[in-house]
Amino acid sequence: MRALIVTRGADGSTIFVGDNQITIPPAKAYGVVDPTGCGDAYRARPLLHGLLNELDWPTTGRMASLMGALKVEVRGTQNHRFTRAEF
């Protein structure tokens, strides 16, 4: 399935699929430390997980938004750590 995803940082994102436009609200970040890599964190694992596990776009988008929020809370591109339960 083809989709276009537009990310807007603290303003959330929009997923365009076919004739549908899905608005994804931003996840709450408890502190903005370093935005470097947030887009990559949004697009990488959560989107792949959602697609491979046939999750719907709203769920997949919210997971991606949460991953971006978790990433922005720490310095560096791959220093964010959390457990499955925390996620």
Side-chain angles (χ1 to χ4, degrees), residues 5-80:
I5 300 169
V6 179
T7 58
R8 293 186 304 281
D11 293 326
S13 59
T14 305
I15 301 174
F16 298 91
V17 181
D19 293 333
N20 297 319
Q21 178 177 329
I22 304 162
T23 301
I24 305 297
K28 171 90 170 120
Y30 292 99
V32 177
V33 177
D34 184 2
T36 306
C38 288
D40 292 339
Y42 178 106
R43 287 184 293 275
R45 188 173 187 137
L47 288 179
L48 291 174
H49 177 81
L51 291 171
L52 291 173
N53 290 284
E54 299 181 4
L55 299 178
D56 60 43
W57 281 109
T59 300
T60 300
R62 287 176 187 271
M63 288 173 36
S65 182
L66 177 57
M67 185 65 81
L70 291 170
K71 179 7 221 127
V72 80
E73 295 174 349
V74 297
R75 186 163 311 285
T77 58
Q78 296 181 1
N79 296 329
H80 49 292

